[in-house]
Amino acid sequence: MGTVLLGMLVGGCSGGNRHFWRDNRNRLIVAGPMIGPYDSLTDLSPDLCEKVMEFPGARAGHDRPGQEYCGAVYQRNFEAPFYASFPSNSSSPVPIAGRKKNCDPVDGVQDAAATRINIYADYHSPPGKTMFSEDDLKLKNQPYYVRVQFNPYCEVYLYEVQTRTVFQLRDGRFVQVKKVAHDDLGF
């Protein structure tokens, strides 16, 4: 417990809040919940996007202050409702090669109300991208079976790794928009 407390003191998030840290095994841990409970990803996703867009640089595009945020969608104690963690902004808000922004996927969630955490999906908020890039769709970049991504306009996309399918949230439901069938994407 002392390591987690120390991590919370040295970890950080914009605005001075301490919502993510590295544990003694260098795993990226985020605090939860930021929002929840929700009955489904379709209910959670729009609210999650609006909440993340309040963080500094989330809507700034690929400009220097633009910042990508990453977090987890999870369940407590094997129960059905979904929660979303606070995001990590573990990468720098400066342009990197190819004007891309990135952040590290989270490895775990700490939630005081849970004895067990099941991370269902990770979420990402690229500040200037409108849909998944080819890098986003590579198997090696998918720590969980589902990735939720949204852009500054709160268009929400979901990538289901097992079926290699991209969905977009439209009128309250996820609609298939792309089937990934490229051998070079790790499948």
Side-chain angles (χ1 to χ4, degrees), residues 101-115:
K101 301 288 182 175
N102 67 346
C103 62
D104 297 329
V106 301
D107 297 305
V109 176
Q110 183 176 6
D111 181 332
T115 55

Side-chain angles (χ1 to χ4, degrees), residues 101-163:
K101 301 288 182 175
N102 67 346
C103 62
D104 297 329
V106 301
D107 297 305
V109 176
Q110 183 176 6
D111 181 332
T115 55
R116 293 286 309 251
I117 299 285
N118 173 43
I119 297 179
Y120 182 80
D122 65 338
Y123 71 82
H124 293 252
S125 67
K129 196 175 358 171
T130 58
M131 199 168 153
F132 291 106
S133 70
E134 285 193 23
D135 281 343
D136 291 329
L137 299 173
K138 289 182 179 177
L139 182 61
K140 69 179 184 173
N141 296 330
Q142 301 301 320
Y144 305 103
Y145 290 115
V146 175
R147 172 167 284 176
V148 177
Q149 181 169 297
F150 38 85
N151 59 30
Y153 313 106
C154 284
E155 296 170 329
V156 178
Y157 295 91
L158 182 143
Y159 180 47
E160 189 175 86
V161 176
Q162 286 185 318
T163 63

Side-chain angles (χ1 to χ4, degrees), residues 19 26 36 44 46 58 70 80 84-86 107 113 128 133 138 144-145 149 156 163 177 179 184:
H19 297 299
N26 201 34
L44 178 143
C70 297
S85 73
F86 283 92
D107 297 305
S133 70
K138 289 182 179 177
Y144 305 103
Y145 290 115
Q149 181 169 297
V156 178
T163 63
V177 293
K179 191 79 170 163
D184 61 333

